[in-house]
Amino acid sequence: MAEEKKRTRRANGESAIYLGKDGRWHARVPMGYKDDGTPYRRHLTRPTRKELVDEVRRLEKQRDEGSARQPGKPWTVAKWLEHWVENIAKPVVSENTYAGYEVAVRVHLVPGIGRHRIDRLEPEHLESLYRRMQSAGSKAGTAHQAHRTARTALGEAVRRGHAAKNAAALAKPPRMEEDENEVEPYSVDEVQSLLLEVNKRRNSARWMLALALGLRQGETLGLRWSDVDLDNEYLKLRRNRLRPKYEHGCGEAAPCGRKAGYCPARVQVRRETKNTKSRAGRRAVPLPGPLVVMLRSHREAQARERAVAANLWTESEYVFTKPLGGPLSPNTDYHDWKRLLEDAGVRDGRLHDARHTAGTVLMLLGVPDRVIDQIMGWEPGGAARMRARYLHVTDPMLKEAARKISHAIWGAPENLAVDKDQDNEA
Protein backbone atom coordinates (compact mmCIF):
# COMPACT_ATOMS: atom_id res chain seq x y z
CA MET A 1 0.00 0.00 0.00
CA ALA A 2 2.83 2.36 0.91
CA GLU A 3 4.52 1.38 -2.38
CA GLU A 4 1.37 2.33 -4.32
CA LYS A 5 1.26 5.79 -2.68
CA LYS A 6 4.93 6.39 -3.41
CA ARG A 7 4.45 5.43 -7.04
CA THR A 8 1.52 7.83 -7.61
CA ARG A 9 2.94 10.85 -5.78
CA ARG A 10 3.65 13.75 -8.21
CA ALA A 11 7.13 15.22 -8.51
CA ASN A 12 7.67 18.95 -8.06
CA GLY A 13 6.54 20.85 -11.16
CA GLU A 14 4.44 17.95 -12.44
CA SER A 15 0.89 18.68 -13.60
CA ALA A 16 -2.04 17.20 -11.66
CA ILE A 17 -4.77 15.50 -13.74
CA TYR A 18 -8.00 14.24 -12.15
CA LEU A 19 -11.64 13.48 -12.85
CA GLY A 20 -13.89 16.04 -11.21
CA LYS A 21 -17.29 15.58 -9.61
CA ASP A 22 -18.79 17.38 -12.60
CA GLY A 23 -17.78 14.45 -14.84
CA ARG A 24 -15.10 16.47 -16.68
CA TRP A 25 -11.35 16.02 -16.56
CA HIS A 26 -9.33 18.76 -14.83
CA ALA A 27 -5.65 19.67 -14.67
CA ARG A 28 -3.52 22.04 -12.61
CA VAL A 29 -0.38 22.98 -14.53
CA PRO A 30 2.48 24.66 -12.61
CA MET A 31 3.56 27.73 -14.61
CA GLY A 32 6.07 29.40 -12.31
CA TYR A 33 5.57 32.10 -9.72
CA LYS A 34 3.58 35.30 -9.41
CA ASP A 35 5.13 38.69 -8.70
CA ASP A 36 4.69 38.12 -4.95
CA GLY A 37 6.57 34.81 -5.08
CA THR A 38 3.60 32.49 -4.66
CA PRO A 39 3.21 29.54 -7.07
CA TYR A 40 1.11 30.11 -10.16
CA ARG A 41 -0.91 27.23 -11.68
CA ARG A 42 -3.16 27.23 -14.71
CA HIS A 43 -6.46 25.37 -14.47
CA LEU A 44 -7.59 23.45 -17.55
CA THR A 45 -10.71 21.35 -18.11
CA ARG A 46 -11.80 19.12 -21.02
CA PRO A 47 -14.55 16.51 -21.50
CA THR A 48 -12.10 13.62 -22.10
CA ARG A 49 -8.79 12.68 -20.56
CA LYS A 50 -7.06 12.45 -23.95
CA GLU A 51 -8.08 16.01 -24.90
CA LEU A 52 -6.89 17.26 -21.54
CA VAL A 53 -3.52 15.48 -21.74
CA ASP A 54 -2.90 16.96 -25.20
CA GLU A 55 -3.69 20.47 -23.93
CA VAL A 56 -1.52 20.00 -20.83
CA ARG A 57 1.45 18.91 -22.95
CA ARG A 58 0.99 21.91 -25.26
CA LEU A 59 0.91 24.29 -22.29
CA GLU A 60 3.90 22.63 -20.62
CA LYS A 61 5.86 23.03 -23.85
CA GLN A 62 5.00 26.75 -23.98
CA ARG A 63 6.04 27.07 -20.34
CA ASP A 64 9.38 25.35 -20.91
CA GLU A 65 10.06 27.48 -24.02
CA GLY A 66 9.16 30.66 -22.17
CA SER A 67 6.33 31.56 -24.56
CA ALA A 68 3.36 30.94 -22.26
CA ARG A 69 1.22 33.83 -21.06
CA GLN A 70 2.20 35.11 -17.64
CA PRO A 71 -0.21 35.28 -14.70
CA GLY A 72 -2.64 38.13 -14.46
CA LYS A 73 -5.37 39.61 -16.62
CA PRO A 74 -4.50 39.38 -20.35
CA TRP A 75 -3.47 42.60 -22.07
CA THR A 76 -5.62 44.09 -24.75
CA VAL A 77 -3.71 45.28 -27.81
CA ALA A 78 -4.61 48.90 -26.98
CA LYS A 79 -3.37 48.70 -23.39
CA TRP A 80 -0.16 46.97 -24.40
CA LEU A 81 0.64 49.40 -27.23
CA GLU A 82 0.01 52.43 -25.02
CA HIS A 83 2.15 50.92 -22.24
CA TRP A 84 4.90 49.90 -24.68
CA VAL A 85 5.22 53.22 -26.50
CA GLU A 86 5.33 55.35 -23.32
CA ASN A 87 7.16 53.14 -20.84
CA ILE A 88 9.33 50.80 -22.91
CA ALA A 89 10.10 52.51 -26.23
CA LYS A 90 10.18 56.18 -25.24
CA PRO A 91 13.11 55.99 -22.75
CA VAL A 92 15.42 54.16 -25.18
CA VAL A 93 14.70 55.46 -28.72
CA SER A 94 15.32 58.85 -30.29
CA GLU A 95 12.68 61.58 -30.18
CA ASN A 96 11.97 61.23 -33.89
CA THR A 97 11.59 57.45 -33.66
CA TYR A 98 9.26 57.82 -30.68
CA ALA A 99 7.19 60.40 -32.57
CA GLY A 100 6.69 57.92 -35.43
CA TYR A 101 5.75 55.12 -33.03
CA GLU A 102 3.34 57.35 -31.11
CA VAL A 103 1.46 58.46 -34.23
CA ALA A 104 1.18 54.89 -35.54
CA VAL A 105 -0.15 53.67 -32.19
CA ARG A 106 -2.57 56.54 -31.52
CA VAL A 107 -3.89 57.17 -35.03
CA HIS A 108 -3.93 53.70 -36.60
CA LEU A 109 -3.24 50.70 -34.38
CA VAL A 110 -5.30 51.43 -31.27
CA PRO A 111 -8.46 52.45 -33.17
CA GLY A 112 -8.00 49.60 -35.66
CA ILE A 113 -7.09 46.54 -33.56
CA GLY A 114 -7.00 47.83 -29.98
CA ARG A 115 -9.96 45.81 -28.64
CA HIS A 116 -8.42 42.42 -29.36
CA ARG A 117 -6.70 40.48 -26.61
CA ILE A 118 -2.98 40.47 -27.31
CA ASP A 119 -2.76 36.68 -26.99
CA ARG A 120 -5.60 36.24 -29.49
CA LEU A 121 -4.49 38.70 -32.15
CA GLU A 122 -4.14 37.08 -35.55
CA PRO A 123 -2.20 38.16 -38.67
CA GLU A 124 -5.51 38.53 -40.49
CA HIS A 125 -6.60 41.25 -38.06
CA LEU A 126 -3.58 43.34 -39.05
CA GLU A 127 -3.95 42.65 -42.76
CA SER A 128 -7.58 43.78 -42.55
CA LEU A 129 -6.41 46.99 -40.83
CA TYR A 130 -3.91 47.72 -43.60
CA ARG A 131 -6.64 47.30 -46.24
CA ARG A 132 -8.97 49.62 -44.34
CA MET A 133 -6.21 52.21 -44.00
CA GLN A 134 -5.60 52.21 -47.74
CA SER A 135 -9.31 52.34 -48.49
CA ALA A 136 -9.49 55.45 -46.29
CA GLY A 137 -6.75 57.12 -48.33
CA SER A 138 -3.53 56.18 -46.49
CA LYS A 139 -0.49 55.43 -48.63
CA ALA A 140 1.17 52.04 -48.55
CA GLY A 141 4.12 53.66 -46.77
CA THR A 142 1.84 54.73 -43.90
CA ALA A 143 0.54 51.17 -43.56
CA HIS A 144 4.14 49.95 -43.54
CA GLN A 145 4.97 52.36 -40.70
CA ALA A 146 2.03 50.98 -38.69
CA HIS A 147 3.18 47.44 -39.53
CA ARG A 148 6.77 48.07 -38.38
CA THR A 149 5.52 49.63 -35.16
CA ALA A 150 3.19 46.71 -34.44
CA ARG A 151 5.93 44.18 -35.20
CA THR A 152 8.34 45.87 -32.77
CA ALA A 153 5.75 46.29 -30.00
CA LEU A 154 4.37 42.75 -30.28
CA GLY A 155 7.87 41.31 -30.45
CA GLU A 156 8.51 42.81 -27.03
CA ALA A 157 5.21 41.33 -25.79
CA VAL A 158 6.33 37.87 -26.93
CA ARG A 159 9.72 38.26 -25.23
CA ARG A 160 7.95 39.11 -21.98
CA GLY A 161 5.54 36.18 -22.22
CA HIS A 162 2.36 38.18 -22.80
CA ALA A 163 1.70 36.47 -26.13
CA ALA A 164 2.82 33.21 -27.68
CA LYS A 165 3.38 34.62 -31.18
CA ASN A 166 4.03 37.90 -32.93
CA ALA A 167 1.03 38.34 -35.23
CA ALA A 168 2.67 41.29 -37.01
CA ALA A 169 5.71 39.19 -37.91
CA LEU A 170 3.36 36.78 -39.69
CA ALA A 171 1.13 39.42 -41.32
CA LYS A 172 1.81 40.60 -44.87
CA PRO A 173 1.94 44.41 -45.24
CA PRO A 174 0.64 45.95 -48.48
CA ARG A 175 2.90 45.95 -51.47
CA MET A 176 4.92 49.09 -51.99
CA GLU A 177 4.64 50.32 -55.55
CA GLU A 178 8.08 50.36 -57.15
CA ASP A 179 7.78 54.00 -58.19
CA GLU A 180 6.37 55.19 -54.85
CA ASN A 181 9.81 55.76 -53.37
CA GLU A 182 11.69 56.08 -56.64
CA VAL A 183 14.14 58.95 -56.57
CA GLU A 184 15.55 60.73 -59.60
CA PRO A 185 18.62 62.73 -58.58
CA TYR A 186 18.97 66.26 -59.92
CA SER A 187 21.12 66.62 -63.02
CA VAL A 188 24.21 68.81 -63.19
CA ASP A 189 22.20 71.41 -65.15
CA GLU A 190 19.52 71.44 -62.44
CA VAL A 191 22.12 71.80 -59.69
CA GLN A 192 23.66 74.74 -61.55
CA SER A 193 20.21 76.36 -61.86
CA LEU A 194 19.77 75.96 -58.12
CA LEU A 195 23.24 77.41 -57.52
CA LEU A 196 22.33 80.56 -59.45
CA GLU A 197 19.21 80.97 -57.31
CA VAL A 198 20.73 80.18 -53.90
CA ASN A 199 23.31 82.92 -54.39
CA LYS A 200 20.44 85.42 -54.13
CA ARG A 201 19.27 84.13 -50.73
CA ARG A 202 20.11 84.11 -47.05
CA ASN A 203 21.87 80.98 -45.85
CA SER A 204 22.88 80.14 -49.43
CA ALA A 205 25.63 77.77 -48.26
CA ARG A 206 23.01 75.70 -46.47
CA TRP A 207 21.65 74.36 -49.77
CA MET A 208 25.02 73.71 -51.34
CA LEU A 209 26.05 71.61 -48.33
CA ALA A 210 23.08 69.38 -49.19
CA LEU A 211 23.60 69.29 -52.96
CA ALA A 212 27.40 69.00 -52.96
CA LEU A 213 28.07 66.93 -49.82
CA GLY A 214 24.76 65.20 -49.12
CA LEU A 215 24.39 66.46 -45.55
CA ARG A 216 21.11 65.48 -43.94
CA GLN A 217 18.72 68.23 -42.90
CA GLY A 218 19.26 67.62 -39.19
CA GLU A 219 23.05 67.57 -39.61
CA THR A 220 23.06 70.88 -41.49
CA LEU A 221 20.70 72.70 -39.14
CA GLY A 222 22.58 71.37 -36.10
CA LEU A 223 25.93 72.63 -37.40
CA ARG A 224 27.73 75.17 -35.17
CA TRP A 225 30.66 77.41 -36.01
CA SER A 226 32.87 75.44 -33.62
CA ASP A 227 32.33 72.45 -35.95
CA VAL A 228 33.62 74.33 -39.01
CA ASP A 229 37.33 74.73 -39.77
CA LEU A 230 37.55 77.01 -42.81
CA ASP A 231 41.34 77.32 -42.63
CA ASN A 232 41.79 73.57 -43.03
CA GLU A 233 38.69 73.28 -45.23
CA TYR A 234 36.62 70.67 -43.40
CA LEU A 235 33.73 70.44 -40.97
CA LYS A 236 32.84 67.98 -38.22
CA LEU A 237 29.35 66.52 -37.91
CA ARG A 238 28.46 65.66 -34.34
CA ARG A 239 24.76 66.38 -33.76
CA ASN A 240 21.35 66.58 -35.39
CA ARG A 241 18.77 69.34 -35.09
CA LEU A 242 15.47 67.92 -33.83
CA ARG A 243 12.04 69.01 -34.90
CA PRO A 244 10.61 71.25 -32.16
CA LYS A 245 7.73 70.02 -30.04
CA TYR A 246 5.62 72.40 -28.00
CA GLU A 247 3.06 72.35 -25.22
CA HIS A 248 0.59 75.05 -24.31
CA GLY A 249 1.94 77.67 -21.97
CA CYS A 250 -1.50 79.11 -21.25
CA GLY A 251 -2.81 76.17 -19.23
CA GLU A 252 -4.29 72.74 -19.85
CA ALA A 253 -7.61 74.17 -21.02
CA ALA A 254 -5.73 76.05 -23.80
CA PRO A 255 -7.75 79.28 -23.52
CA CYS A 256 -5.86 80.70 -26.52
CA GLY A 257 -7.88 78.32 -28.70
CA ARG A 258 -4.89 77.41 -30.86
CA LYS A 259 -2.78 74.33 -31.36
CA ALA A 260 0.19 74.04 -29.00
CA GLY A 261 2.67 75.05 -31.71
CA TYR A 262 0.84 78.35 -32.27
CA CYS A 263 0.13 79.19 -28.63
CA PRO A 264 1.53 82.70 -27.81
CA ALA A 265 2.95 81.29 -24.57
CA ARG A 266 4.08 77.95 -26.03
CA VAL A 267 6.77 75.97 -24.21
CA GLN A 268 9.46 73.96 -26.00
CA VAL A 269 9.48 70.44 -24.52
CA ARG A 270 12.03 68.79 -26.81
CA ARG A 271 15.77 69.48 -26.78
CA GLU A 272 17.16 71.35 -29.78
CA THR A 273 19.76 68.79 -30.86
CA LYS A 274 20.94 65.27 -30.14
CA ASN A 275 24.22 63.54 -30.85
CA THR A 276 24.37 61.53 -34.06
CA LYS A 277 23.09 58.01 -33.48
CA SER A 278 26.07 56.15 -34.96
CA ARG A 279 29.84 56.36 -35.00
CA ALA A 280 29.75 56.73 -38.79
CA GLY A 281 27.48 59.76 -38.38
CA ARG A 282 30.14 61.51 -36.30
CA ARG A 283 32.52 62.31 -39.10
CA ALA A 284 34.76 64.89 -40.74
CA VAL A 285 33.71 66.07 -44.20
CA PRO A 286 36.04 67.92 -46.62
CA LEU A 287 34.86 71.26 -47.96
CA PRO A 288 35.33 72.10 -51.66
CA GLY A 289 36.98 75.47 -52.26
CA PRO A 290 33.81 77.24 -53.51
CA LEU A 291 31.95 76.10 -50.40
CA VAL A 292 34.70 77.50 -48.19
CA VAL A 293 34.25 80.84 -49.95
CA MET A 294 30.46 80.66 -49.51
CA LEU A 295 30.80 79.89 -45.78
CA ARG A 296 33.24 82.75 -45.23
CA SER A 297 30.81 85.11 -46.96
CA HIS A 298 27.95 83.66 -44.92
CA ARG A 299 29.80 84.23 -41.65
CA GLU A 300 30.38 87.88 -42.58
CA ALA A 301 26.71 88.32 -43.53
CA GLN A 302 25.65 86.79 -40.23
CA ALA A 303 27.91 89.20 -38.33
CA ARG A 304 26.24 92.11 -40.12
CA GLU A 305 22.78 90.76 -39.23
CA ARG A 306 23.86 90.44 -35.59
CA ALA A 307 25.08 94.04 -35.52
CA VAL A 308 21.86 95.39 -37.06
CA ALA A 309 19.61 93.32 -34.75
CA ALA A 310 21.57 94.41 -31.64
CA ASN A 311 19.59 93.44 -28.52
CA LEU A 312 16.99 91.59 -30.59
CA TRP A 313 19.56 89.02 -31.71
CA THR A 314 19.27 85.53 -30.15
CA GLU A 315 22.78 84.15 -29.71
CA SER A 316 23.00 80.46 -30.54
CA GLU A 317 26.35 79.66 -32.28
CA TYR A 318 24.47 77.91 -35.08
CA VAL A 319 25.88 78.31 -38.58
CA PHE A 320 22.41 78.76 -40.09
CA THR A 321 19.95 80.89 -38.15
CA LYS A 322 16.75 82.85 -38.42
CA PRO A 323 17.06 86.56 -39.39
CA LEU A 324 17.22 87.47 -35.69
CA GLY A 325 19.38 84.55 -34.65
CA GLY A 326 18.37 81.31 -33.01
CA PRO A 327 18.22 77.91 -34.74
CA LEU A 328 16.24 77.37 -37.91
CA SER A 329 13.10 75.25 -37.66
CA PRO A 330 13.14 72.11 -39.86
CA ASN A 331 9.63 72.99 -41.01
CA THR A 332 10.69 76.49 -42.12
CA ASP A 333 13.73 74.98 -43.81
CA TYR A 334 11.51 72.55 -45.74
CA HIS A 335 9.29 75.33 -47.07
CA ASP A 336 12.36 77.38 -48.02
CA TRP A 337 13.54 74.41 -50.10
CA LYS A 338 10.20 74.21 -51.91
CA ARG A 339 10.33 77.93 -52.74
CA LEU A 340 13.91 77.55 -53.94
CA LEU A 341 12.91 74.82 -56.41
CA GLU A 342 10.02 76.91 -57.71
CA ASP A 343 12.07 80.10 -58.11
CA ALA A 344 14.89 78.21 -59.84
CA GLY A 345 12.46 76.57 -62.27
CA VAL A 346 13.56 73.10 -61.15
CA ARG A 347 11.16 70.16 -60.83
CA ASP A 348 9.66 69.48 -57.42
CA GLY A 349 11.35 67.01 -55.13
CA ARG A 350 11.98 66.10 -51.53
CA LEU A 351 14.70 67.84 -49.59
CA HIS A 352 16.26 64.42 -49.05
CA ASP A 353 16.60 64.05 -52.85
CA ALA A 354 19.52 66.48 -52.61
CA ARG A 355 21.33 63.79 -50.62
CA HIS A 356 20.73 61.25 -53.40
CA THR A 357 22.07 63.84 -55.86
CA ALA A 358 25.29 64.34 -53.89
CA GLY A 359 25.93 60.60 -53.61
CA THR A 360 25.40 60.08 -57.34
CA VAL A 361 27.72 62.98 -58.23
CA LEU A 362 30.45 61.48 -56.02
CA MET A 363 30.05 58.17 -57.87
CA LEU A 364 30.15 59.94 -61.28
CA LEU A 365 33.42 61.59 -60.26
CA GLY A 366 34.94 58.19 -59.50
CA VAL A 367 35.36 58.85 -55.77
CA PRO A 368 36.29 55.55 -54.04
CA ASP A 369 33.48 53.79 -52.18
CA ARG A 370 35.24 54.13 -48.83
CA VAL A 371 35.48 57.91 -49.23
CA ILE A 372 31.83 58.13 -50.33
CA ASP A 373 30.84 56.18 -47.21
CA GLN A 374 32.82 58.63 -45.04
CA ILE A 375 31.27 61.72 -46.62
CA MET A 376 27.72 60.31 -46.55
CA GLY A 377 28.06 58.91 -43.01
CA TRP A 378 27.26 55.27 -43.72
CA GLU A 379 28.14 52.44 -41.34
CA PRO A 380 30.68 49.95 -42.77
CA GLY A 381 28.34 46.99 -42.27
CA GLY A 382 25.46 48.55 -44.19
CA ALA A 383 27.37 50.76 -46.61
CA ALA A 384 26.85 48.49 -49.63
CA ARG A 385 23.09 48.48 -49.03
CA MET A 386 23.03 52.27 -48.66
CA ARG A 387 25.06 52.75 -51.85
CA ALA A 388 22.54 50.60 -53.71
CA ARG A 389 19.76 52.80 -52.38
CA TYR A 390 21.34 56.23 -52.85
CA LEU A 391 23.70 55.97 -55.83
CA HIS A 392 21.72 56.11 -59.06
CA VAL A 393 22.81 55.02 -62.52
CA THR A 394 22.26 58.05 -64.74
CA ASP A 395 21.98 58.39 -68.55
CA PRO A 396 25.57 59.70 -68.95
CA MET A 397 26.84 56.67 -67.02
CA LEU A 398 24.88 54.30 -69.27
CA LYS A 399 26.19 56.04 -72.42
CA GLU A 400 29.77 55.80 -71.11
CA ALA A 401 29.26 52.09 -70.43
CA ALA A 402 27.94 51.62 -73.98
CA ARG A 403 30.99 53.44 -75.37
CA LYS A 404 33.35 51.18 -73.44
CA ILE A 405 31.51 48.03 -74.57
CA SER A 406 31.68 49.26 -78.17
CA HIS A 407 35.41 49.88 -77.88
CA ALA A 408 36.07 46.49 -76.24
CA ILE A 409 34.08 44.38 -78.72
CA TRP A 410 34.24 46.24 -82.03
CA GLY A 411 37.47 48.10 -81.52
CA ALA A 412 38.33 51.79 -81.66
CA PRO A 413 35.85 54.18 -83.33
CA GLU A 414 38.26 54.82 -86.25
CA ASN A 415 38.37 51.07 -86.97
CA LEU A 416 34.60 51.01 -87.09
CA ALA A 417 34.64 53.81 -89.67
CA VAL A 418 37.16 51.93 -91.87
CA ASP A 419 35.09 48.76 -91.70
CA LYS A 420 31.99 50.69 -92.66
CA ASP A 421 33.76 52.25 -95.70
CA GLN A 422 34.96 48.83 -96.82
CA ASP A 423 31.46 47.45 -96.59
CA ASN A 424 30.14 50.33 -98.70
CA GLU A 425 32.81 49.77 -101.39
CA ALA A 426 31.96 46.10 -101.52
Side-chain angles (χ1 to χ4, degrees):
M1 191 69 170
E3 182 67 20
E4 181 68 15
K5 288 183 179 180
K6 183 177 180 181
R7 190 168 57 247
T8 58
R9 182 178 298 165
R10 291 181 293 109
N12 289 334
E14 184 180 346
S15 301
I17 299 176
Y18 57 93
L19 181 63
K21 294 181 180 180
D22 58 358
R24 293 173 62 87
W25 285 89
H26 296 258
R28 303 281 178 176
V29 184
M31 299 298 293
Y33 296 90
K34 299 179 182 179
D35 291 342
D36 61 3
T38 59
Y40 167 57
R41 295 181 178 86
R42 287 273 295 277
H43 174 240
L44 302 175
T45 179
R46 295 292 185 274
T48 66
R49 191 177 193 281
K50 182 181 183 308
E51 288 179 291
L52 183 64
V53 168
D54 290 343
E55 185 64 19
V56 167
R57 287 174 178 171
R58 184 189 68 81
L59 187 60
E60 287 176 338
K61 182 180 179 182
Q62 288 184 356
R63 176 197 64 194
D64 296 341
E65 292 176 345
S67 62
R69 180 171 58 83
Q70 295 300 306
K73 187 176 180 180
W75 292 83
T76 64
V77 173
K79 290 294 184 184
W80 172 253
L81 289 174
E82 290 164 353
H83 169 76
W84 169 80
V85 76
E86 291 298 327
N87 300 298
I88 299 175
K90 188 175 182 179
V92 297
V93 301
S94 71
E95 287 91 334
N96 288 343
T97 300
Y98 164 75
Y101 285 161
E102 192 276 333
V103 169
V105 167
R106 173 173 50 83
V107 177
H108 302 295
L109 295 173
V110 168
I113 56 173
R115 293 184 179 182
H116 291 284
R117 268 179 43 170
I118 196 171
D119 57 337
R120 294 180 181 175
L121 185 68
E122 298 295 337
E124 292 77 13
H125 296 143
L126 287 155
E127 291 162 350
S128 175
L129 169 63
Y130 305 150
R131 289 193 295 271
R132 295 197 306 271
M133 288 174 63
Q134 289 187 284
S135 297
S138 293
K139 293 183 179 180
T142 305
H144 268 260
Q145 170 66 10
H147 174 72
R148 291 191 296 269
T149 301
R151 186 176 59 197
T152 304
L154 295 175
E156 187 64 33
V158 171
R159 282 191 291 274
R160 298 184 181 215
H162 302 310
K165 66 183 179 186
N166 184 340
L170 301 173
K172 301 295 184 184
R175 178 182 176 183
M176 296 281 285
E177 294 297 331
E178 291 185 2
D179 60 349
E180 185 166 334
N181 290 321
E182 187 174 350
V183 175
E184 183 181 352
Y186 291 107
S187 67
V188 173
D189 289 340
E190 288 173 319
V191 172
Q192 289 175 345
S193 296
L194 290 169
L195 177 59
L196 290 174
E197 185 60 35
V198 298
N199 285 329
K200 307 173 187 176
R201 298 169 178 262
R202 284 188 75 251
N203 295 330
S204 58
R206 181 264 174 275
W207 306 114
M208 296 316 299
L209 284 174
L211 289 162
L213 298 177
L215 268 61
R216 302 174 179 93
Q217 183 191 44
E219 292 172 339
T220 307
L221 300 189
L223 201 61
R224 297 179 181 175
W225 284 114
S226 57
D227 303 322
V228 181
D229 189 337
L230 296 179
D231 293 330
N232 293 304
E233 301 185 348
Y234 74 92
L235 55 83
K236 290 184 178 179
L237 298 173
R238 305 171 181 175
R239 63 185 69 82
N240 285 310
R241 173 84 166 98
L242 295 174
R243 183 173 299 163
K245 183 178 181 180
Y246 301 100
E247 289 183 355
H248 278 280
C250 56
E252 294 183 3
C256 69
R258 303 178 183 180
K259 291 183 178 180
Y262 298 94
C263 173
R266 67 186 184 185
V267 178
Q268 168 73 280
V269 295
R270 180 177 290 168
R271 53 182 170 160
E272 286 185 354
T273 62
K274 70 178 182 71
N275 292 335
T276 53
K277 64 182 179 181
S278 67
R279 182 175 298 177
R282 296 185 292 275
R283 63 196 189 277
V285 176
L287 289 171
L291 253 177
V292 173
V293 174
M294 290 183 76
L295 285 168
R296 288 188 189 278
S297 176
H298 172 70
R299 186 166 60 182
E300 293 170 0
Q302 190 178 85
R304 290 193 296 269
E305 288 181 340
R306 182 187 291 107
V308 171
N311 294 336
L312 297 177
W313 182 265
T314 301
E315 196 60 60
S316 62
E317 281 299 309
Y318 286 102
V319 174
F320 303 108
T321 67
K322 294 180 286 189
L324 293 177
L328 280 174
S329 164
N331 187 52
T332 300
D333 184 67
Y334 166 81
H335 290 294
D336 286 345
W337 166 253
K338 292 295 185 180
R339 283 191 292 271
L340 172 62
L341 294 176
E342 184 178 355
D343 293 345
V346 173
R347 59 186 166 84
D348 190 28
R350 305 175 309 167
L351 177 53
H352 203 67
D353 292 352
R355 182 166 166 79
H356 287 257
T357 300
T360 302
V361 169
L362 290 170
M363 180 174 61
L364 279 168
L365 295 175
V367 177
D369 287 348
R370 185 173 181 180
V371 179
I372 294 178
D373 298 343
Q374 165 80 11
I375 293 174
M376 300 293 285
W378 292 332
E379 290 280 5
R385 177 175 57 84
M386 297 306 291
R387 283 196 296 272
R389 178 180 176 185
Y390 277 83
L391 308 187
H392 303 267
V393 179
T394 61
D395 288 344
M397 295 170 68
L398 292 173
K399 290 179 180 178
E400 176 64 13
R403 188 192 66 78
K404 290 181 177 179
I405 293 171
S406 174
H407 180 78
I409 296 178
W410 288 279
E414 55 270 18
N415 293 338
L416 292 176
V418 171
D419 293 342
K420 186 176 180 180
D421 292 340
Q422 291 174 349
D423 292 339
N424 290 336
E425 290 176 3

